[in-house]
Amino acid sequence: MFNKILIANRGEIALRVIRAAREMGIGTVAVHSTADSDAMHVRMADESVCVGPPSSMQSYLSIPAIIAACEITGAEAIHPGYGFLSENANFVQIVQDHGLTFIGPTAEHIRVMGDKITAKDTMKKLGVPCVPGSAGGVATLEEAKALGAEMGYPVIIKATAGGGGKGMKVAETANDMERAFQTARAEGKSNFGNDEVYIEKYLTTPRHIEIQVFGDGKGRAVHLGERDCSLQRRHQKVFEEAPGPAISPEERARIGKVCADAMADINYIGAGTIEFLYEKGEFYFIEMNTRLQVEHPVTEAIFGVDLVREQIRVASGMDMSFQQEDLQINGHSIEVRINAEKLPNFSPCPGRITQYHAPGGLGVRMDSALYDGYSIPPYYDSLIGKLIVHGRDRPEALARLHRALGELIVDGVDTTVPLFHALLAEPDVLSGDYNIHWLEHWLETNLGNA
Ligand code: MV4
């Protein structure tokens, strides 16, 4: 096991990793920008290193600065958290070339899953059900039109390097194809430097269901069920739950085994998420995330496992502490993302926190790096906390969420908390009857959100 690890991140996820490491008796090194000198992750870690100015590009994303911080402090491994360098295959290679350990998947797995065409091709060969579409990339408009005619409209054109909804265009009819095809290509080129695109049948009203997987890198892998993350705005999740209200135990066991077997086949190491669209009882693979995700706590709650501890274990060459048979679901968990944003338009709202009080009690977890008097810097993303509740069943989790939101005090900045109070009064949310379009439709109707 490692003696000391470095956390290449900030905010609540840096605290999350420090907590796991401390319980394992592992020393921790925080890195921070000059804008984060007073941040909680710096206070909570055993040691800290300033890695650059406020801009992420020059601090949390600066590979030389992060590697140097390891060399200065003697940290043997790096946990990347989510975002920043967490899915940068080049970084993983550099970490290894310096005799350090990346706490996460191999550079090769990150590379394969980072390109959506190769990800889909790989998953298809591994027996994972995919959205019907082109076999690989589509190079010309003529080819795209032929495929549209063959599959039937609507279709969706996606940039292979796309993300966050960029480089993705729906063609409702053949007349739309030229515009959709050229726009997806242009967005892929300008945002990701890659104009390769592929085509899929467009699913009109799916849920976003993602399967949590975990591998030991030695041919063993398990699944930890699904999360339903359909409530999103502009590809930003706001409310996540596990288990998915629409997924039966039989469906879970079936798709879960397909995913776990696929990960065992490729010797996947660490935490991963296999994303599906789910419509009319069928799962369709869309992408894989080769990192720990923001919403991992809902899975931890219902399975009673510490995913970060497991990541650190397998990275150090140990086995996972559980096998598939040990993993049983207990109850229901919901997470809401508390962002420093002003409604109705979700505009970022950095500033000084004049008062902070975290909710508590049975089945309540607040992951946040806030404290009284903390100033949220304007340079990074607006997530300031995650409220995770756990109940014996979904109604109990919803009631607990309502109760915990009532206890939470975040003064000094606007937050997304009022949105959650409003959502908890919605019959569709209470019954779990929603899809990927529900929230944007609700925001338009109720807040006049653009
Ligand atoms: C789709 C789709 C419908 N059909 N693919 C959005 C981002 C990227 N991760 C995949 N996305 C979608 N792919 C097919 N074939 C609809 C979406 C989509 C979406 C997916 C998950 C959660 C929210 C979404 C919001 C809009 C569109």
Side-chain angles (χ1 to χ4, degrees):
M1 184 46 66
F2 311 116
N3 290 302
K4 194 191 277 191
I5 68 172
L6 180 143
I7 299 97
N9 215 304
R10 63 184 302 282
E12 68 86 17
I13 194 61
L15 303 194
R16 171 70 191 85
V17 176
I18 292 168
R19 286 171 172 145
R22 191 150 290 153
E23 289 180 14
M24 298 171 84
I26 300 168
T28 54
V29 179
V31 294
H32 66 92
S33 69
T34 53
D36 274 343
S37 301
D38 296 327
M40 188 55 104
H41 74 286
V42 175
R43 295 193 189 183
M44 199 183 275
D46 297 319
E47 300 170 66
S48 65
V49 178
C50 181
V51 288
S55 150
S56 298
M57 282 301 296
Q58 297 176 79
S59 52
Y60 297 104
L61 290 170
S62 169
I63 296 174
I66 302 287
I67 299 288
C70 281
E71 294 188 336
I72 290 164
T73 57
E76 305 150 59
I78 301 177
H79 195 300
Y82 50 68
F84 293 132
L85 296 167
S86 62
E87 292 178 286
N88 184 323
N90 179 48
F91 175 61
V92 175
Q93 191 57 58
I94 292 168
V95 169
Q96 282 168 358
D97 292 346
H98 285 77
L100 303 166
T101 301
F102 181 76
I103 302 173
T106 62
E108 182 60 15
H109 286 149
I110 293 174
R111 210 168 273 125
V112 167
M113 298 306 170
D115 181 290
K116 288 172 189 170
I117 292 175
T118 58
K120 201 173 163 183
D121 185 56
T122 303
M123 289 301 210
K124 197 171 169 184
K125 287 185 174 135
L126 289 165
V128 178
C130 296
V131 191
S134 57
V138 175
T140 65
L141 178 59
E142 289 63 46
E143 209 186 319
K145 283 181 168 166
L147 266 162
E150 189 188 316
M151 289 195 299
Y153 288 87
V155 300
I156 184 165
I157 325 296
K158 295 180 174 180
T160 192
K166 281 184 184 147
M168 211 181 70
K169 286 284 166 276
V170 177
E172 298 286 352
T173 67
N175 293 334
D176 264 7
M177 186 55 110
E178 179 161 4
R179 175 202 55 88
F181 183 78
Q182 307 298 5
T183 313
R185 276 185 88 105
E187 286 187 9
K189 184 88 202 161
S190 66
N191 290 293
F192 313 101
N194 182 346
D195 70 357
E196 203 179 356
V197 299
Y198 61 109
I199 299 189
E200 289 180 346
K201 183 79 188 163
Y202 180 67
L203 304 179
T204 52
T205 53
R207 286 173 178 262
H208 173 113
I209 302 289
E210 52 184 40
I211 307 289
Q212 176 72 55
V213 291
F214 204 98
D216 70 357
K218 297 177 271 191
R220 278 183 296 259
V222 299
H223 73 88
L224 295 96
E226 77 286 356
R227 296 182 284 262
D228 190 325
C229 308
S230 299
L231 293 179
Q232 310 205 359
R233 177 187 178 267
R234 299 190 179 171
H235 306 289
Q236 295 293 317
K237 296 167 185 163
V238 308
F239 176 111
E240 304 108 343
E241 61 181 313
I247 309 301
S248 70
E250 294 71 30
E251 289 174 291
R252 172 176 311 116
R254 208 184 108 249
I255 195 70
K257 184 173 189 323
V258 168
C259 291
D261 288 350
M263 294 302 102
D265 263 18
I266 62 172
N267 290 326
Y268 189 77
I269 183 163
T273 298
I274 306 185
E275 292 189 354
F276 292 91
L277 298 177
Y278 175 84
E279 193 176 73
K280 299 183 188 129
E282 300 287 341
F283 288 89
Y284 303 93
F285 170 77
I286 46 171
E287 306 172 12
M288 177 165 181
N289 301 317
T290 51
R291 63 168 188 276
L292 184 76
Q293 292 198 250
V294 175
E295 60 272 24
H296 75 277
V298 296
T299 300
E300 294 188 321
I302 63 167
F303 284 97
V305 303
D306 179 337
L307 288 170
V308 177
R309 179 187 182 93
E310 298 299 324
Q311 287 185 298
I312 297 170
R313 281 177 69 101
V314 299
S316 79
M318 292 172 73
D319 289 341
M320 294 181 268
S321 71
F322 44 70
Q323 296 182 298
Q324 192 68 58
E325 312 81 85
D326 304 322
L327 296 168
Q328 299 295 332
I329 294 181
N330 173 20
H332 197 96
S333 180
I334 302 173
E335 170 178 290
V336 295
R337 295 194 191 189
I338 305 190
N339 293 344
E341 288 171 351
K342 193 175 172 58
L343 299 172
N345 293 312
F346 297 81
S347 18
C349 193
R352 187 168 175 274
I353 301 293
T354 52
Q355 201 186 162
Y356 173 64
H357 176 79
L362 181 63
V364 175
R365 167 176 174 183
M366 183 79 193
D367 276 18
S368 172
L370 292 186
Y371 58 84
D372 283 317
Y374 174 64
S375 280
I376 302 165
Y379 310 103
Y380 314 106
D381 82 25
S382 60
L383 183 85
I384 55 169
K386 307 187 306 204
L387 171 56
I388 306 105
V389 295
H390 183 216
R392 287 172 299 178
D393 54 21
R394 193 169 186 274
E396 188 169 280
L398 285 164
R400 192 156 280 157
L401 178 58
H402 183 75
R403 186 271 290 173
L405 281 167
E407 286 179 25
L408 173 64
I409 300 172
V410 180
D411 285 345
V413 299
D414 282 295
T415 74
T416 47
V417 167
L419 170 67
F420 301 121
H421 280 294
L423 289 179
L424 286 177
E426 283 297 325
D428 289 346
V429 173
L430 298 178
S431 66
D433 183 15
Y434 53 74
N435 61 42
I436 61 168
H437 303 298
W438 190 95
L439 182 62
E440 291 196 10
H441 179 257
W442 183 91
L443 289 168
E444 218 170 283
T445 310
N446 293 272
L447 303 184
N449 185 265

